[in-house]
Amino acid sequence: MEKTLEALKPLHIPVMVDEAMELLNVQRDGIYIDGTLGLGGHAAEILKRLGEGGRLIGIDKDDEALKYAANRLEDSRVSYVRDDFSRLGQIAMDSGVSGVDGILLDLGMSMNQVKDMGRGFSFNSEYRLDMRMDNRSPLTAWEVVNRYKMDKIEEILREYGEEPKSAKIAKAIVSERKHAAIDTCRDLSLLVERQYGGRGKTHPATKTFQALRIFVNGELTALQGALEASVGALRCGGRLCVISYHSLEDRCVKNFFKQAKGVFNVLTPKPITPTAIEARRNNPAARSAKLRGGQRL
Ligand SMILES: C[S@@+](CC[C@H](N)C(=O)[O-])C[C@H]1O[C@@H](n2cnc3c(N)ncnc32)[C@H](O)[C@@H]1O
């Protein structure tokens, strides 16, 4: 059943807004891409700085997020595109744009996605393991956990979660699913908890859930694709700003800027992190955020 916009309250608090806007350096008549429109928090700030002749292309692969943002922003300067941000070069061309002045990527998922139990991202959800940002995609976390071979599950947990107990958890998954399918997020988080013999400060299933989410959504491949596409999409002087939330993403952005010497002037020799005030606010996402940016030469 389709959710009403009333049910889609903006639980997501945008991260490092002032810092991202300063780095993006929005020009009044510029053309911008928000590759991760989400609930439109950063987009609203870009629009405040854009004049009447400016334009914003808002991309998200989550249909619910796009609908929410369109309703919230209600702005004729915005076009909404349901697609993967790795295709941002093609999307700009399809929109009749030959070069953009800035691209913002605020990676990962929104609090609305996490807190919507039916989306199957959350440890405590009694719903089926899912974790897809794009519900048209055929691969769910349930498929991976219940159908993939042990070696592949182990590799996913190790590579995308940097999970030290990847082998133990993969073995337990394969053993448990012989009796009954591991259906819900809660089934899986309890299984991981048992491998750790209890809970610590952070939930023991954090790395397992991160790994599955990254794999199911092809997150690192999409990020690499978007970074590469930005080279062709940005005008000279245009800016690329990326907010990442874990070390795998940040490494990818950092290495891209390192290898793109001569193509980008790196504006953040060290990543910008949230102020102590923002990190203390009730916004858990902000704690691990890192912002990097570069200017197209
Ligand atoms: C952290 S949220 C963005 C929040 C947004 N900046 C705001 O202020 O409301 C990330 C969003 O990016 C979307 N997303 C993640 N990976 C994507 C991809 N490869 N292509 C398109 N959208 C993606 C998610 O669906 C989610 O809505």
Side-chain angles (χ1 to χ4, degrees), residues 12-15 34-43 59-62 65 72 83-86 104 106-110 113 133 217 219 222-223 245:
H12 186 82
I13 305 167
V15 173
D34 182 342
T36 49
L37 189 64
L39 283 296
H42 285 103
I59 305 172
D60 206 296
K61 58 183 181 180
D62 182 343
R72 174 184 185 183
D83 209 327
D84 196 291
F85 58 47
S86 58
L104 175 66
D106 174 25
L107 302 172
M109 49 190 178
S110 71
Q113 290 167 323
M133 290 177 189
N217 294 291
E219 290 181 31
L223 173 57
Y245 294 91

PDB file of all heavy atoms in Angstrom, residues 12-15 34-43 59-62 65 72 83-86 104 106-110 113 133 217 219 222-223 245, ligand 1:
ATOM      1  N   HIS A  12      14.826  12.545   9.084  1.00  0.00           N
ATOM      2  CA  HIS A  12      16.238  12.729   8.748  1.00  0.00           C
ATOM      3  C   HIS A  12      16.676  14.176   8.983  1.00  0.00           C
ATOM      4  O   HIS A  12      16.054  15.103   8.478  1.00  0.00           O
ATOM      5  CB  HIS A  12      16.447  12.347   7.285  1.00  0.00           C
ATOM      6  CG  HIS A  12      17.882  12.363   6.900  1.00  0.00           C
ATOM      7  ND1 HIS A  12      18.713  11.304   7.165  1.00  0.00           N
ATOM      8  CD2 HIS A  12      18.638  13.309   6.304  1.00  0.00           C
ATOM      9  CE1 HIS A  12      19.923  11.604   6.737  1.00  0.00           C
ATOM     10  NE2 HIS A  12      19.908  12.811   6.220  1.00  0.00           N
ATOM     11  N   ILE A  13      17.743  14.344   9.742  1.00  0.00           N
ATOM     12  CA  ILE A  13      18.307  15.691   9.947  1.00  0.00           C
ATOM     13  C   ILE A  13      19.540  15.794   9.055  1.00  0.00           C
ATOM     14  O   ILE A  13      20.474  14.999   9.200  1.00  0.00           O
ATOM     15  CB  ILE A  13      18.726  15.894  11.426  1.00  0.00           C
ATOM     16  CG1 ILE A  13      17.551  15.603  12.363  1.00  0.00           C
ATOM     17  CG2 ILE A  13      19.265  17.305  11.640  1.00  0.00           C
ATOM     18  CD1 ILE A  13      17.953  15.472  13.830  1.00  0.00           C
ATOM     19  N   PRO A  14      19.545  16.730   8.098  1.00  0.00           N
ATOM     20  CA  PRO A  14      20.706  16.801   7.195  1.00  0.00           C
ATOM     21  C   PRO A  14      21.996  17.116   7.956  1.00  0.00           C
ATOM     22  O   PRO A  14      21.982  17.850   8.936  1.00  0.00           O
ATOM     23  CB  PRO A  14      20.351  17.910   6.215  1.00  0.00           C
ATOM     24  CG  PRO A  14      19.162  18.596   6.763  1.00  0.00           C
ATOM     25  CD  PRO A  14      18.513  17.711   7.769  1.00  0.00           C
ATOM     26  N   VAL A  15      23.088  16.548   7.483  1.00  0.00           N
ATOM     27  CA  VAL A  15      24.371  16.613   8.192  1.00  0.00           C
ATOM     28  C   VAL A  15      25.290  17.671   7.560  1.00  0.00           C
ATOM     29  O   VAL A  15      25.336  17.802   6.338  1.00  0.00           O
ATOM     30  CB  VAL A  15      25.031  15.206   8.120  1.00  0.00           C
ATOM     31  CG1 VAL A  15      26.439  15.222   8.678  1.00  0.00           C
ATOM     32  CG2 VAL A  15      24.172  14.187   8.866  1.00  0.00           C
ATOM     33  N   ASP A  34      21.955  17.380  -6.984  1.00  0.00           N
ATOM     34  CA  ASP A  34      21.964  16.725  -5.679  1.00  0.00           C
ATOM     35  C   ASP A  34      21.720  15.249  -6.001  1.00  0.00           C
ATOM     36  O   ASP A  34      20.603  14.862  -6.344  1.00  0.00           O
ATOM     37  CB  ASP A  34      20.866  17.304  -4.774  1.00  0.00           C
ATOM     38  CG  ASP A  34      20.897  16.665  -3.386  1.00  0.00           C
ATOM     39  OD1 ASP A  34      21.504  15.573  -3.251  1.00  0.00           O
ATOM     40  OD2 ASP A  34      20.323  17.228  -2.444  1.00  0.00           O
ATOM     41  N   GLY A  35      22.789  14.455  -5.929  1.00  0.00           N
ATOM     42  CA  GLY A  35      22.709  13.041  -6.341  1.00  0.00           C
ATOM     43  C   GLY A  35      22.014  12.157  -5.322  1.00  0.00           C
ATOM     44  O   GLY A  35      21.693  11.007  -5.612  1.00  0.00           O
ATOM     45  N   THR A  36      21.815  12.705  -4.119  1.00  0.00           N
ATOM     46  CA  THR A  36      21.187  11.941  -3.025  1.00  0.00           C
ATOM     47  C   THR A  36      20.122  12.830  -2.393  1.00  0.00           C
ATOM     48  O   THR A  36      20.275  13.260  -1.250  1.00  0.00           O
ATOM     49  CB  THR A  36      22.253  11.559  -1.975  1.00  0.00           C
ATOM     50  OG1 THR A  36      23.000  12.745  -1.644  1.00  0.00           O
ATOM     51  CG2 THR A  36      23.212  10.495  -2.477  1.00  0.00           C
ATOM     52  N   LEU A  37      19.074  13.071  -3.149  1.00  0.00           N
ATOM     53  CA  LEU A  37      18.064  14.060  -2.750  1.00  0.00           C
ATOM     54  C   LEU A  37      17.467  13.741  -1.385  1.00  0.00           C
ATOM     55  O   LEU A  37      17.246  14.640  -0.575  1.00  0.00           O
ATOM     56  CB  LEU A  37      16.968  14.120  -3.823  1.00  0.00           C
ATOM     57  CG  LEU A  37      15.964  15.243  -3.670  1.00  0.00           C
ATOM     58  CD1 LEU A  37      16.629  16.597  -3.823  1.00  0.00           C
ATOM     59  CD2 LEU A  37      14.855  15.090  -4.705  1.00  0.00           C
ATOM     60  N   GLY A  38      17.204  12.462  -1.113  1.00  0.00           N
ATOM     61  CA  GLY A  38      16.645  12.063   0.190  1.00  0.00           C
ATOM     62  C   GLY A  38      15.397  12.850   0.511  1.00  0.00           C
ATOM     63  O   GLY A  38      14.478  12.951  -0.303  1.00  0.00           O
ATOM     64  N   LEU A  39      15.374  13.437   1.710  1.00  0.00           N
ATOM     65  CA  LEU A  39      14.197  14.199   2.140  1.00  0.00           C
ATOM     66  C   LEU A  39      14.308  15.670   1.734  1.00  0.00           C
ATOM     67  O   LEU A  39      13.506  16.496   2.153  1.00  0.00           O
ATOM     68  CB  LEU A  39      14.025  14.082   3.664  1.00  0.00           C
ATOM     69  CG  LEU A  39      13.423  12.766   4.211  1.00  0.00           C
ATOM     70  CD1 LEU A  39      11.992  12.622   3.704  1.00  0.00           C
ATOM     71  CD2 LEU A  39      14.213  11.537   3.865  1.00  0.00           C
ATOM     72  N   GLY A  40      15.337  15.986   0.962  1.00  0.00           N
ATOM     73  CA  GLY A  40      15.461  17.342   0.411  1.00  0.00           C
ATOM     74  C   GLY A  40      16.049  18.372   1.352  1.00  0.00           C
ATOM     75  O   GLY A  40      15.960  19.576   1.091  1.00  0.00           O
ATOM     76  N   GLY A  41      16.682  17.940   2.436  1.00  0.00           N
ATOM     77  CA  GLY A  41      17.253  18.886   3.414  1.00  0.00           C
ATOM     78  C   GLY A  41      18.375  19.726   2.816  1.00  0.00           C
ATOM     79  O   GLY A  41      18.341  20.959   2.889  1.00  0.00           O
ATOM     80  N   HIS A  42      19.353  19.075   2.191  1.00  0.00           N
ATOM     81  CA  HIS A  42      20.442  19.832   1.568  1.00  0.00           C
ATOM     82  C   HIS A  42      19.920  20.601   0.353  1.00  0.00           C
ATOM     83  O   HIS A  42      20.329  21.731   0.096  1.00  0.00           O
ATOM     84  CB  HIS A  42      21.586  18.894   1.140  1.00  0.00           C
ATOM     85  CG  HIS A  42      22.420  18.410   2.291  1.00  0.00           C
ATOM     86  ND1 HIS A  42      22.286  17.149   2.801  1.00  0.00           N
ATOM     87  CD2 HIS A  42      23.375  19.021   3.023  1.00  0.00           C
ATOM     88  CE1 HIS A  42      23.144  17.009   3.815  1.00  0.00           C
ATOM     89  NE2 HIS A  42      23.802  18.130   3.965  1.00  0.00           N
ATOM     90  N   ALA A  43      18.998  19.965  -0.381  1.00  0.00           N
ATOM     91  CA  ALA A  43      18.448  20.615  -1.587  1.00  0.00           C
ATOM     92  C   ALA A  43      17.785  21.941  -1.225  1.00  0.00           C
ATOM     93  O   ALA A  43      17.952  22.940  -1.930  1.00  0.00           O
ATOM     94  CB  ALA A  43      17.440  19.684  -2.261  1.00  0.00           C
ATOM     95  N   ILE A  59      18.422  13.741  -7.710  1.00  0.00           N
ATOM     96  CA  ILE A  59      18.404  12.311  -8.054  1.00  0.00           C
ATOM     97  C   ILE A  59      18.245  11.489  -6.774  1.00  0.00           C
ATOM     98  O   ILE A  59      18.862  11.793  -5.754  1.00  0.00           O
ATOM     99  CB  ILE A  59      19.731  11.894  -8.739  1.00  0.00           C
ATOM    100  CG1 ILE A  59      20.024  12.768  -9.962  1.00  0.00           C
ATOM    101  CG2 ILE A  59      19.722  10.411  -9.117  1.00  0.00           C
ATOM    102  CD1 ILE A  59      21.414  12.550 -10.577  1.00  0.00           C
ATOM    103  N   ASP A  60      17.437  10.453  -6.830  1.00  0.00           N
ATOM    104  CA  ASP A  60      17.411   9.446  -5.762  1.00  0.00           C
ATOM    105  C   ASP A  60      16.838   8.174  -6.373  1.00  0.00           C
ATOM    106  O   ASP A  60      15.997   8.233  -7.259  1.00  0.00           O
ATOM    107  CB  ASP A  60      16.540   9.884  -4.578  1.00  0.00           C
ATOM    108  CG  ASP A  60      16.973   9.214  -3.272  1.00  0.00           C
ATOM    109  OD1 ASP A  60      16.862   7.965  -3.190  1.00  0.00           O
ATOM    110  OD2 ASP A  60      17.449   9.900  -2.358  1.00  0.00           O
ATOM    111  N   LYS A  61      17.316   7.018  -5.890  1.00  0.00           N
ATOM    112  CA  LYS A  61      16.742   5.791  -6.447  1.00  0.00           C
ATOM    113  C   LYS A  61      15.572   5.289  -5.608  1.00  0.00           C
ATOM    114  O   LYS A  61      14.958   4.287  -5.946  1.00  0.00           O
ATOM    115  CB  LYS A  61      17.809   4.730  -6.679  1.00  0.00           C
ATOM    116  CG  LYS A  61      18.627   4.292  -5.525  1.00  0.00           C
ATOM    117  CD  LYS A  61      19.641   3.296  -6.090  1.00  0.00           C
ATOM    118  CE  LYS A  61      20.549   2.724  -5.050  1.00  0.00           C
ATOM    119  NZ  LYS A  61      21.493   1.778  -5.654  1.00  0.00           N
ATOM    120  N   ASP A  62      15.304   6.011  -4.526  1.00  0.00           N
ATOM    121  CA  ASP A  62      14.181   5.648  -3.662  1.00  0.00           C
ATOM    122  C   ASP A  62      12.978   6.521  -4.027  1.00  0.00           C
ATOM    123  O   ASP A  62      12.996   7.733  -3.848  1.00  0.00           O
ATOM    124  CB  ASP A  62      14.601   5.877  -2.204  1.00  0.00           C
ATOM    125  CG  ASP A  62      13.507   5.488  -1.229  1.00  0.00           C
ATOM    126  OD1 ASP A  62      12.343   5.349  -1.647  1.00  0.00           O
ATOM    127  OD2 ASP A  62      13.828   5.336  -0.036  1.00  0.00           O
ATOM    128  N   ALA A  65      11.425   8.691  -1.230  1.00  0.00           N
ATOM    129  CA  ALA A  65      12.208   9.877  -0.912  1.00  0.00           C
ATOM    130  C   ALA A  65      11.918  10.969  -1.949  1.00  0.00           C
ATOM    131  O   ALA A  65      11.684  12.125  -1.596  1.00  0.00           O
ATOM    132  CB  ALA A  65      13.697   9.544  -0.892  1.00  0.00           C
ATOM    133  N   ARG A  72       7.807  18.525  -0.462  1.00  0.00           N
ATOM    134  CA  ARG A  72       8.369  19.478   0.501  1.00  0.00           C
ATOM    135  C   ARG A  72       8.930  20.722  -0.197  1.00  0.00           C
ATOM    136  O   ARG A  72       8.730  21.831   0.254  1.00  0.00           O
ATOM    137  CB  ARG A  72       9.486  18.766   1.266  1.00  0.00           C
ATOM    138  CG  ARG A  72      10.243  19.668   2.194  1.00  0.00           C
ATOM    139  CD  ARG A  72      11.383  18.889   2.830  1.00  0.00           C
ATOM    140  NE  ARG A  72      12.069  19.682   3.819  1.00  0.00           N
ATOM    141  CZ  ARG A  72      13.145  19.257   4.482  1.00  0.00           C
ATOM    142  NH1 ARG A  72      13.618  18.045   4.262  1.00  0.00           N
ATOM    143  NH2 ARG A  72      13.721  20.013   5.368  1.00  0.00           N
ATOM    144  N   ASP A  83      16.783   7.496 -10.270  1.00  0.00           N
ATOM    145  CA  ASP A  83      17.852   6.775 -10.964  1.00  0.00           C
ATOM    146  C   ASP A  83      19.017   6.573 -10.003  1.00  0.00           C
ATOM    147  O   ASP A  83      18.979   7.050  -8.854  1.00  0.00           O
ATOM    148  CB  ASP A  83      18.311   7.586 -12.187  1.00  0.00           C
ATOM    149  CG  ASP A  83      18.842   6.693 -13.301  1.00  0.00           C
ATOM    150  OD1 ASP A  83      19.427   5.631 -12.993  1.00  0.00           O
ATOM    151  OD2 ASP A  83      18.673   7.055 -14.479  1.00  0.00           O
ATOM    152  N   ASP A  84      20.047   5.900 -10.469  1.00  0.00           N
ATOM    153  CA  ASP A  84      21.254   5.706  -9.676  1.00  0.00           C
ATOM    154  C   ASP A  84      22.189   6.883  -9.945  1.00  0.00           C
ATOM    155  O   ASP A  84      22.360   7.286 -11.096  1.00  0.00           O
ATOM    156  CB  ASP A  84      21.924   4.399 -10.111  1.00  0.00           C
ATOM    157  CG  ASP A  84      22.947   3.948  -9.098  1.00  0.00           C
ATOM    158  OD1 ASP A  84      23.993   4.630  -8.970  1.00  0.00           O
ATOM    159  OD2 ASP A  84      22.709   2.945  -8.423  1.00  0.00           O
ATOM    160  N   PHE A  85      22.809   7.408  -8.886  1.00  0.00           N
ATOM    161  CA  PHE A  85      23.650   8.592  -9.108  1.00  0.00           C
ATOM    162  C   PHE A  85      24.892   8.306  -9.944  1.00  0.00           C
ATOM    163  O   PHE A  85      25.547   9.218 -10.431  1.00  0.00           O
ATOM    164  CB  PHE A  85      23.967   9.335  -7.808  1.00  0.00           C
ATOM    165  CG  PHE A  85      24.656   8.549  -6.708  1.00  0.00           C
ATOM    166  CD1 PHE A  85      25.747   7.752  -6.953  1.00  0.00           C
ATOM    167  CD2 PHE A  85      24.207   8.671  -5.389  1.00  0.00           C
ATOM    168  CE1 PHE A  85      26.401   7.068  -5.922  1.00  0.00           C
ATOM    169  CE2 PHE A  85      24.840   7.993  -4.347  1.00  0.00           C
ATOM    170  CZ  PHE A  85      25.939   7.185  -4.623  1.00  0.00           C
ATOM    171  N   SER A  86      25.236   7.030 -10.138  1.00  0.00           N
ATOM    172  CA  SER A  86      26.379   6.713 -10.996  1.00  0.00           C
ATOM    173  C   SER A  86      26.098   7.148 -12.440  1.00  0.00           C
ATOM    174  O   SER A  86      27.007   7.295 -13.238  1.00  0.00           O
ATOM    175  CB  SER A  86      26.692   5.216 -10.957  1.00  0.00           C
ATOM    176  OG  SER A  86      25.556   4.500 -11.369  1.00  0.00           O
ATOM    177  N   LEU A 104      26.510  17.429  -5.311  1.00  0.00           N
ATOM    178  CA  LEU A 104      26.566  17.035  -3.897  1.00  0.00           C
ATOM    179  C   LEU A 104      26.133  15.585  -3.768  1.00  0.00           C
ATOM    180  O   LEU A 104      25.101  15.187  -4.322  1.00  0.00           O
ATOM    181  CB  LEU A 104      25.624  17.925  -3.069  1.00  0.00           C
ATOM    182  CG  LEU A 104      25.501  17.541  -1.583  1.00  0.00           C
ATOM    183  CD1 LEU A 104      26.818  17.759  -0.837  1.00  0.00           C
ATOM    184  CD2 LEU A 104      24.390  18.340  -0.905  1.00  0.00           C
ATOM    185  N   ASP A 106      25.493  12.949  -0.603  1.00  0.00           N
ATOM    186  CA  ASP A 106      25.394  12.756   0.853  1.00  0.00           C
ATOM    187  C   ASP A 106      25.039  11.271   1.005  1.00  0.00           C
ATOM    188  O   ASP A 106      23.877  10.895   0.930  1.00  0.00           O
ATOM    189  CB  ASP A 106      24.291  13.685   1.381  1.00  0.00           C
ATOM    190  CG  ASP A 106      23.993  13.487   2.852  1.00  0.00           C
ATOM    191  OD1 ASP A 106      24.871  13.018   3.587  1.00  0.00           O
ATOM    192  OD2 ASP A 106      22.861  13.820   3.264  1.00  0.00           O
ATOM    193  N   LEU A 107      26.088  10.461   1.166  1.00  0.00           N
ATOM    194  CA  LEU A 107      25.952   9.019   0.916  1.00  0.00           C
ATOM    195  C   LEU A 107      25.107   8.258   1.958  1.00  0.00           C
ATOM    196  O   LEU A 107      24.757   8.792   3.000  1.00  0.00           O
ATOM    197  CB  LEU A 107      27.352   8.401   0.832  1.00  0.00           C
ATOM    198  CG  LEU A 107      28.248   9.015  -0.256  1.00  0.00           C
ATOM    199  CD1 LEU A 107      29.671   8.497  -0.138  1.00  0.00           C
ATOM    200  CD2 LEU A 107      27.692   8.729  -1.652  1.00  0.00           C
ATOM    201  N   GLY A 108      24.885   7.006   1.634  1.00  0.00           N
ATOM    202  CA  GLY A 108      24.212   6.108   2.578  1.00  0.00           C
ATOM    203  C   GLY A 108      22.711   6.243   2.520  1.00  0.00           C
ATOM    204  O   GLY A 108      22.132   6.476   1.466  1.00  0.00           O
ATOM    205  N   MET A 109      22.086   6.073   3.674  1.00  0.00           N
ATOM    206  CA  MET A 109      20.620   6.085   3.694  1.00  0.00           C
ATOM    207  C   MET A 109      20.126   7.153   4.661  1.00  0.00           C
ATOM    208  O   MET A 109      20.888   7.644   5.499  1.00  0.00           O
ATOM    209  CB  MET A 109      20.114   4.719   4.093  1.00  0.00           C
ATOM    210  CG  MET A 109      20.792   4.218   5.312  1.00  0.00           C
ATOM    211  SD  MET A 109      20.407   2.532   5.620  1.00  0.00           S
ATOM    212  CE  MET A 109      21.427   2.319   7.064  1.00  0.00           C
ATOM    213  N   SER A 110      18.859   7.479   4.512  1.00  0.00           N
ATOM    214  CA  SER A 110      18.287   8.499   5.397  1.00  0.00           C
ATOM    215  C   SER A 110      17.697   7.817   6.625  1.00  0.00           C
ATOM    216  O   SER A 110      17.410   6.612   6.604  1.00  0.00           O
ATOM    217  CB  SER A 110      17.203   9.284   4.659  1.00  0.00           C
ATOM    218  OG  SER A 110      16.064   8.459   4.474  1.00  0.00           O
ATOM    219  N   GLN A 113      14.557   5.949   5.941  1.00  0.00           N
ATOM    220  CA  GLN A 113      14.699   4.579   5.433  1.00  0.00           C
ATOM    221  C   GLN A 113      15.008   3.615   6.584  1.00  0.00           C
ATOM    222  O   GLN A 113      14.419   2.550   6.695  1.00  0.00           O
ATOM    223  CB  GLN A 113      15.813   4.531   4.374  1.00  0.00           C
ATOM    224  CG  GLN A 113      15.425   5.239   3.088  1.00  0.00           C
ATOM    225  CD  GLN A 113      16.610   5.473   2.151  1.00  0.00           C
ATOM    226  OE1 GLN A 113      17.720   5.756   2.583  1.00  0.00           O
ATOM    227  NE2 GLN A 113      16.363   5.365   0.858  1.00  0.00           N
ATOM    228  N   MET A 133      17.379   0.137  -1.359  1.00  0.00           N
ATOM    229  CA  MET A 133      16.978   1.541  -1.457  1.00  0.00           C
ATOM    230  C   MET A 133      16.014   1.687  -2.632  1.00  0.00           C
ATOM    231  O   MET A 133      15.127   2.518  -2.614  1.00  0.00           O
ATOM    232  CB  MET A 133      18.199   2.419  -1.696  1.00  0.00           C
ATOM    233  CG  MET A 133      19.098   2.493  -0.487  1.00  0.00           C
ATOM    234  SD  MET A 133      20.540   3.474  -0.868  1.00  0.00           S
ATOM    235  CE  MET A 133      21.519   3.157   0.583  1.00  0.00           C
ATOM    236  N   ASN A 217      22.909  -2.946  -2.323  1.00  0.00           N
ATOM    237  CA  ASN A 217      22.686  -1.708  -3.094  1.00  0.00           C
ATOM    238  C   ASN A 217      23.857  -1.343  -4.008  1.00  0.00           C
ATOM    239  O   ASN A 217      23.831  -0.285  -4.639  1.00  0.00           O
ATOM    240  CB  ASN A 217      22.386  -0.555  -2.134  1.00  0.00           C
ATOM    241  CG  ASN A 217      21.070  -0.757  -1.409  1.00  0.00           C
ATOM    242  OD1 ASN A 217      20.015  -0.694  -2.017  1.00  0.00           O
ATOM    243  ND2 ASN A 217      21.136  -1.064  -0.119  1.00  0.00           N
ATOM    244  N   GLU A 219      26.723  -0.223  -3.333  1.00  0.00           N
ATOM    245  CA  GLU A 219      27.020   1.165  -2.968  1.00  0.00           C
ATOM    246  C   GLU A 219      28.401   1.654  -3.405  1.00  0.00           C
ATOM    247  O   GLU A 219      28.545   2.776  -3.870  1.00  0.00           O
ATOM    248  CB  GLU A 219      26.848   1.363  -1.450  1.00  0.00           C
ATOM    249  CG  GLU A 219      25.390   1.294  -1.052  1.00  0.00           C
ATOM    250  CD  GLU A 219      25.149   1.505   0.440  1.00  0.00           C
ATOM    251  OE1 GLU A 219      25.908   2.245   1.078  1.00  0.00           O
ATOM    252  OE2 GLU A 219      24.199   0.905   0.961  1.00  0.00           O
ATOM    253  N   ALA A 222      28.581   2.119  -7.201  1.00  0.00           N
ATOM    254  CA  ALA A 222      27.830   3.313  -7.598  1.00  0.00           C
ATOM    255  C   ALA A 222      28.633   4.571  -7.254  1.00  0.00           C
ATOM    256  O   ALA A 222      28.707   5.509  -8.063  1.00  0.00           O
ATOM    257  CB  ALA A 222      26.473   3.346  -6.898  1.00  0.00           C
ATOM    258  N   LEU A 223      29.262   4.571  -6.079  1.00  0.00           N
ATOM    259  CA  LEU A 223      30.044   5.749  -5.674  1.00  0.00           C
ATOM    260  C   LEU A 223      31.196   5.979  -6.648  1.00  0.00           C
ATOM    261  O   LEU A 223      31.401   7.097  -7.132  1.00  0.00           O
ATOM    262  CB  LEU A 223      30.564   5.553  -4.240  1.00  0.00           C
ATOM    263  CG  LEU A 223      31.542   6.610  -3.726  1.00  0.00           C
ATOM    264  CD1 LEU A 223      30.940   8.014  -3.786  1.00  0.00           C
ATOM    265  CD2 LEU A 223      31.979   6.296  -2.298  1.00  0.00           C
ATOM    266  N   TYR A 245      30.062   8.235   5.350  1.00  0.00           N
ATOM    267  CA  TYR A 245      29.710   7.849   6.720  1.00  0.00           C
ATOM    268  C   TYR A 245      30.483   6.647   7.242  1.00  0.00           C
ATOM    269  O   TYR A 245      30.272   6.236   8.372  1.00  0.00           O
ATOM    270  CB  TYR A 245      28.198   7.592   6.831  1.00  0.00           C
ATOM    271  CG  TYR A 245      27.427   8.863   6.608  1.00  0.00           C
ATOM    272  CD1 TYR A 245      26.993   9.236   5.339  1.00  0.00           C
ATOM    273  CD2 TYR A 245      27.185   9.730   7.667  1.00  0.00           C
ATOM    274  CE1 TYR A 245      26.326  10.426   5.130  1.00  0.00           C
ATOM    275  CE2 TYR A 245      26.518  10.926   7.474  1.00  0.00           C
ATOM    276  CZ  TYR A 245      26.091  11.268   6.200  1.00  0.00           C
ATOM    277  OH  TYR A 245      25.443  12.455   5.997  1.00  0.00           O
TER     278      TYR A 245
HETATM  279  C1  LIG B   1      21.759  10.377   3.595  1.00  0.00           C
HETATM  280  S1  LIG B   1      20.389  10.331   2.520  1.00  0.00           S
HETATM  281  C2  LIG B   1      20.372  11.953   1.833  1.00  0.00           C
HETATM  282  C3  LIG B   1      19.677  12.954   2.680  1.00  0.00           C
HETATM  283  C4  LIG B   1      19.537  14.333   2.046  1.00  0.00           C
HETATM  284  N1  LIG B   1      20.814  14.949   1.796  1.00  0.00           N
HETATM  285  C5  LIG B   1      18.672  15.234   2.901  1.00  0.00           C
HETATM  286  O1  LIG B   1      19.170  16.267   3.368  1.00  0.00           O
HETATM  287  O2  LIG B   1      17.495  14.920   3.125  1.00  0.00           O
HETATM  288  C6  LIG B   1      20.950   9.408   1.150  1.00  0.00           C
HETATM  289  C7  LIG B   1      19.935   9.241   0.041  1.00  0.00           C
HETATM  290  O3  LIG B   1      20.639   8.802  -1.102  1.00  0.00           O
HETATM  291  C8  LIG B   1      19.917   7.802  -1.776  1.00  0.00           C
HETATM  292  N2  LIG B   1      20.916   6.976  -2.491  1.00  0.00           N
HETATM  293  C9  LIG B   1      21.894   6.206  -1.959  1.00  0.00           C
HETATM  294  N3  LIG B   1      22.616   5.629  -2.931  1.00  0.00           N
HETATM  295  C10 LIG B   1      22.109   6.068  -4.106  1.00  0.00           C
HETATM  296  C11 LIG B   1      22.457   5.835  -5.477  1.00  0.00           C
HETATM  297  N4  LIG B   1      23.465   5.026  -5.824  1.00  0.00           N
HETATM  298  N5  LIG B   1      21.743   6.463  -6.429  1.00  0.00           N
HETATM  299  C12 LIG B   1      20.700   7.283  -6.089  1.00  0.00           C
HETATM  300  N6  LIG B   1      20.315   7.526  -4.812  1.00  0.00           N
HETATM  301  C13 LIG B   1      21.015   6.936  -3.830  1.00  0.00           C
HETATM  302  C14 LIG B   1      19.179   7.066  -0.683  1.00  0.00           C
HETATM  303  O4  LIG B   1      18.014   6.454  -1.197  1.00  0.00           O
HETATM  304  C15 LIG B   1      18.857   8.200   0.301  1.00  0.00           C
HETATM  305  O5  LIG B   1      17.587   8.739   0.067  1.00  0.00           O
END
